[in-house]
């Protein structure tokens, strides 16, 4: 009986007569489910993006409550071409990303293989390593800026114990970028570890056992089996990390604010300053577009390099 | 994986211990600072009289805005998580199971990926002007909307990989028995992806709680969130190191809570998308 009723119900749907609101929603379920996300993304990413293009050719000044837009495409482009700081920031960002991501991959890979080779404490290690990933980056910045402190920071204190003169970690032009990279390595190596560890644990154990029976040593197993099998996962970790590294803002903002001079100026920090310190909305928009292009180019180069690596 | 025996085993454990120590030490050190008087911090003393002044100053002092900041952060993180879960899960189901024109689906997914790659600061200028235009400038609503947008790509991709794991046969069988698509979604698919919902929920809550760049530029004194407040501690003319330390420690509470109670979901969420 119930079956017949259901059949009748579905007949009604075939004839295209929705019986209720729910049936109507069901009929157009694809639009009802993707719709909200589509609207959000159109309103808050696509529309602002179009706005960005429009802003990029204008100069916007604030007069009391209203904005005044003037059309000045040439001036904005000239600003971009003569923006020395942007070039420095781009270079710093690239150096920062390449160095920190490479170090993180090496350390994370080593740690993942090490943890998978031991029998005890796996849970403890994993728990400890999750802390930095979930902590607010700004808290990490404030933590490390206290630790880097020249007079009373724990790092200089430790150096003092082994007889090394205190270093001006954040205040010297030659050291500041490295100090920021160290913080980033501390922050994100655990993330690389998590991704790689999941893959190491998923490797076929029988292959490795077979190799061992055939007389392969640890070194051969590591370089001939484990690392080649991990290449796809390493590639993914590389990509994820490069994306995040290129966006870096929070820690640098708190640790050095780009200083001393321009030695740790990164692109997002420069963008923030143009938008909200110099209040240049129009030029800032052009800079945003330039940065988006730079990001895509950087990731594309990275992806090509990664694929080449994966193949050989 | 490797067979560590004898000395190499010892070295392995030592390296691991060192690694874990390096990860935990900064956190322990800053917790220590948060219980010190300012003078002990500046002297770098290891032996000191522990005090709760920093915490009471940050939480109860009349000059401190920190309780307001915590409230703002809680509101923004909770509301944006609820909305991003609803909107993102629906979209993920739609893209993984329902019929779509491949250009719309591909375009949408490609766009979310691209948006996820670029720094949110590149769009902060237009956001600022748009919210000014519609009268939402410096409001929590604006920040909630931005956080929903920021964490939508992650939620969609994560939930899609969970929905793809649900066997299609179950859904087809239910449809054969007369279930409507919407019932299949509600009664079969959704209960099966509950672990995914929890993973996506905790991650987007924590990321929203931690988010700084948008919060810095889209909030004012009254609507500032916790990270913005911490940055302000560091930029005062005379930095209150003790208060900065205790505020930082307080800001990590959600992370610590998750580490102890939701670890499984966090690890699943962080690695699920990546391993595939």
């Amino acid at each position: 009986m119930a079956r017949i009723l259901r059949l009748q119900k579905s007949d009604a749907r075939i004839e295209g007569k929705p019986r209720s609101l729910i049936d109507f929603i069901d009929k157009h379920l694809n639009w009802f489910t993707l719709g909200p996300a589509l609207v959000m993304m159109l309103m808050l990413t696509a529309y602002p993006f179009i706005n960005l293009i429009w802003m990029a050719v204008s100069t916007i000044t604030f007069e009391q409550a209203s904005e005044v837009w003037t059309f000045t495409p040439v001036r904005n482009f000239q600003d971009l071409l003569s923006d020395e700081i942007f070039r420095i920031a781009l270079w710093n960002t690239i150096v920062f990303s390449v160095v920190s991501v490479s170090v993180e991959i090496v350390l994370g890979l080593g740690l993942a293989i090490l943890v998978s080779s031991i029998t005890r404490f796996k849970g403890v290690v994993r728990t400890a390593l999750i802390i930095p990933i979930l902590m607010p980056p700004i808290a990490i910045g404030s933590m490390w800026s206290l630790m880097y402190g020249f007079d009373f920071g724990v790092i200089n204190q430790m150096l003092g114990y082994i007889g090394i003169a205190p270093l001006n970690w954040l205040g010297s032009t030659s050291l500041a970028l490295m100090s920021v990279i160290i913080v980033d390595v501390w922050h994100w190596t655990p993330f690389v570890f998590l991704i790689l560890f999941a893959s190491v644990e998923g490797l076929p154990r029988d292959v490795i056992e077979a190799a061992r029976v055939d007389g392969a040593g640890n070194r051969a197993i590591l370089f001939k089996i484990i690392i080649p099998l991990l290449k796809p996962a390493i590639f993914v970790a590389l990509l994820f990390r490069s994306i995040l590294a290129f966006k870096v803002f929070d820690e640098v903002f708190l640790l050095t604010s780009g200083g001393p001079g321009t030695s740790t100026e990164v692109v997002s920090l420069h963008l923030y300053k143009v938008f909200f310190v110099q209040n240049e909305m129009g030029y800032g928009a052009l800079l945003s577009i330039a940065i988006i292009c730079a990001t895509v180019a950087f990731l594309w180069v990275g992806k090509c390099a990664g694929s080449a690596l994966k193949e050989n | 994986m490797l067979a560590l025996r004898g000395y190499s085993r010892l070295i392995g454990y030592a390296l691991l211990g060192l690694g874990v120590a390096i990860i935990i030490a900064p956190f322990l050190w800053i917790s220590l600072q948060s219980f010190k008087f300012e003078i002990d911090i500046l002297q770098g003393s290891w032996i000191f009289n522990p005090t709760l002044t920093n915490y009471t100053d940050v939480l109860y002092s009349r000059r401190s805005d920190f309780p307001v900041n915590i409230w703002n952060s809680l509101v923004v993180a909770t509301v944006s998580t609820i909305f991003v879960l609803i909107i993102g899960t629906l979209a993920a189901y739609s893209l993984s199971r329902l019929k779509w024109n491949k250009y719309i689906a591909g375009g949408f997914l490609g766009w979310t990926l691209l948006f996820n790659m670029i720094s949110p600061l590149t769009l902060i200028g237009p956001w600022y002007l748009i919210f000014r235009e519609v009268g939402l400038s410096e409001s929590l609503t604006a920040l909630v909307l931005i956080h929903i947008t920021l964490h939508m790509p992650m939620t969609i991709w994560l939930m899609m990989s969970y929905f793809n794991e649900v066997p299609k046969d179950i859904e087809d069988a239910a449809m054969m028995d007369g279930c409507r698509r919407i019932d299949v979604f509600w009664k079969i698919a959704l209960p099966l992806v509950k672990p995914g919902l929890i993973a996506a929920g905790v991650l987007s809550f924590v990321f929203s709680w931690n988010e700084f760049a948008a919060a810095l530029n889209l909030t004012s004194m009254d609507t500032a969130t916790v990270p913005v407040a911490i940055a302000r501690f560091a930029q005062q003319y005379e930095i209150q190191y003790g208060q900065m330390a205790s505020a930082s420690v307080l800001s990590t509470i959600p992370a610590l809570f998750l580490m102890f109670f939701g670890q499984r979901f966090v690890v699943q969420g962080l690695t699920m998308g990546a391993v595939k």
Side-chain angles (χ1 to χ4, degrees), chain B residues 140 178 180 200 235 246:
Chain B
L140 287 182
R180 292 170 299 189
Q235 291 185 321
S246 57

Side-chain angles (χ1 to χ4, degrees), chain A residues 3 6 13 22-23 25-26 29-31 33-34 37-38 40-41 44-45 47-48 51-52 55 62 65 67 113-118 121 126-132 134-139 142-143 145-147 152 154 157 161 186 194-195 200 205 208 212 218 226 236 243 247 249-250 253-254 268 271-272 275-276 281 288 295 299, chain B residues 1-4 9 12-13 15-16 20 22-24 26-27 29-30 41-42 44 46 87 90-91 94-95 98-100 108 111-112 114-122 124-130 132-133 145 148-149 152 177 180-182 206 210 212-213 216-217 227 231 235 241 244 248 251-252 255 259 263 267 270-271 274-275:
Chain A
R3 174 108 196 176
R6 266 193 235 123
R13 264 183 294 139
I22 305 236
D23 275 322
I25 293 175
D26 182 58
L29 194 63
N30 57 351
W31 284 105
T33 44
L34 191 63
L38 211 55
M40 282 293 285
M41 292 304 276
L44 287 168
T45 63
Y47 175 64
N51 253 352
L52 205 59
M55 284 162 71
F62 295 98
E67 303 139 25
I113 292 172
L114 197 60
V115 174
S116 75
S117 305
I118 62 167
F121 305 124
R126 210 178 60 175
T127 309
L129 286 172
I130 289 177
I131 307 181
L134 296 179
M135 258 190 177
I138 209 78
S142 97
M143 203 166 88
S145 79
L146 288 180
M147 288 178 33
F152 56 87
V154 71
Q157 213 179 342
Y161 292 144
W186 180 84
L194 271 189
I195 292 181
V200 174
R205 273 175 190 273
I208 292 164
R212 188 160 289 133
N218 273 340
I226 296 184
V236 169
I243 290 173
K247 290 200 249 189
F249 178 74
D250 307 15
F253 179 89
L254 205 112
S268 32
L271 191 58
Y272 159 76
F275 267 135
F276 292 101
M281 286 286 166
S288 294
T295 311
L299 292 175
Chain B
M1 285 295 159
L2 300 177
L4 298 179
R9 186 192 193 116
Y13 275 110
L15 279 178
L16 209 59
V20 172
I22 290 175
I23 293 292
I24 299 182
F27 184 72
W29 188 75
I30 200 171
I41 297 179
L42 295 176
W46 290 101
I87 298 174
L90 287 175
S94 196
L95 291 166
L98 305 178
K99 278 205 186 72
W100 271 107
F108 180 79
W111 180 255
T112 58
L114 182 72
F115 174 64
N116 214 15
M117 276 178 209
I118 59 175
S119 161
L121 280 163
T122 52
I124 209 93
W127 282 336
Y128 181 79
L129 290 185
I130 290 169
R132 230 175 95 98
E133 199 75 21
L145 284 172
I148 296 173
T149 316
M152 185 115 74
D177 283 348
R180 292 170 299 189
R181 237 320 159 191
I182 196 166
V206 170
N210 293 351
F212 174 65
L216 174 69
N217 298 310
Q235 291 185 321
Y241 293 105
M244 185 169 146
S248 302
S251 75
T252 59
M259 195 185 78
Q263 203 192 107
V267 174
L270 285 174
T271 52
V275 173

Side-chain angles (χ1 to χ4, degrees), chain B residues 30 70 90 119 136 161 172 179 195 198 262 266 269:
Chain B
I30 200 171
I70 293 180
L90 287 175
S119 161
L136 282 175
S161 61
D172 290 343
C179 248
I198 300 174
V266 173

Side-chain angles (χ1 to χ4, degrees), chain B:
Chain B
M1 285 295 159
L2 300 177
L4 298 179
R5 290 187 215 301
Y7 276 125
S8 61
R9 186 192 193 116
L10 214 61
I11 293 170
Y13 275 110
L15 279 178
L16 209 59
L18 187 71
V20 172
I22 290 175
I23 293 292
I24 299 182
F27 184 72
L28 292 181
W29 188 75
I30 200 171
S31 315
L32 207 65
Q33 305 306 305
S34 69
F35 292 109
K36 282 181 182 177
F37 286 110
E38 206 71 11
I39 181 77
D40 285 318
I41 297 179
L42 295 176
Q43 286 176 342
S45 17
W46 290 101
I47 298 155
F48 59 92
N49 282 330
T51 170
L52 283 174
T53 357
N54 295 320
Y55 286 97
T56 48
D57 275 358
V58 162
L59 286 175
Y60 300 118
S61 139
R62 198 161 321 143
R63 281 178 307 148
S64 164
D65 291 329
F66 207 64
V68 180
N69 303 133
I70 293 180
W71 173 249
N72 290 340
S73 269
L74 278 177
V75 170
V76 171
T78 313
V79 176
S80 73
T81 300
I82 292 172
F83 276 100
V84 84
L85 269 189
I86 297 174
I87 298 174
T89 308
L90 287 175
Y93 186 75
S94 196
L95 291 166
S96 105
R97 278 292 191 272
L98 305 178
K99 278 205 186 72
W100 271 107
N101 175 327
K102 71 172 179 223
Y103 294 107
I104 296 182
F108 180 79
L109 284 174
W111 180 255
T112 58
L113 272 191
L114 182 72
F115 174 64
N116 214 15
M117 276 178 209
I118 59 175
S119 161
L121 280 163
T122 52
L123 287 179
I124 209 93
W127 282 336
Y128 181 79
L129 290 185
I130 290 169
F131 286 130
R132 230 175 95 98
E133 199 75 21
V134 295
L136 282 175
S137 102
E138 302 185 334
S139 69
L140 287 182
T141 320
L143 193 60
V144 167
L145 284 172
I146 293 305
H147 280 189
I148 296 173
T149 316
L150 283 178
H151 303 131
M152 185 115 74
M154 178 194 78
T155 313
I156 292 178
W157 283 89
L158 192 63
M159 290 315 296
M160 264 174 69
S161 61
Y162 276 93
F163 277 125
N164 287 339
E165 297 238 309
V166 175
K168 252 193 171 126
D169 300 347
I170 304 184
E171 296 192 357
D172 290 343
M175 299 270 285
M176 290 286 273
D177 283 348
C179 248
R180 292 170 299 189
R181 237 320 159 191
I182 196 166
D183 302 323
V184 171
F185 169 70
W186 188 249
K187 292 190 183 134
I188 296 171
L190 209 54
L192 284 175
V193 296
K194 221 178 257 165
L197 285 174
I198 300 174
V202 293
L203 284 181
S204 76
F205 184 89
V206 170
F207 289 156
S208 167
W209 174 275
N210 293 351
E211 203 278 338
F212 174 65
L216 174 69
N217 298 310
L218 297 176
T219 59
S220 65
M221 214 59 182
D222 309 329
T223 50
T225 55
V226 169
V228 181
I230 294 176
R232 229 169 250 152
F233 274 116
Q235 291 185 321
Q236 274 161 358
Y237 181 64
E238 211 167 283
I239 300 179
Q240 303 279 328
Y241 293 105
Q243 296 191 12
M244 185 169 146
S246 57
S248 302
V249 171
L250 287 173
S251 75
T252 59
I253 287 177
L256 293 179
F257 185 80
L258 266 186
M259 195 185 78
F260 287 114
F261 299 107
Q263 203 192 107
R264 189 162 63 91
F265 297 106
V266 173
V267 174
Q268 224 177 35
L270 285 174
T271 52
M272 182 95 177
V275 173
K276 287 262 158 63

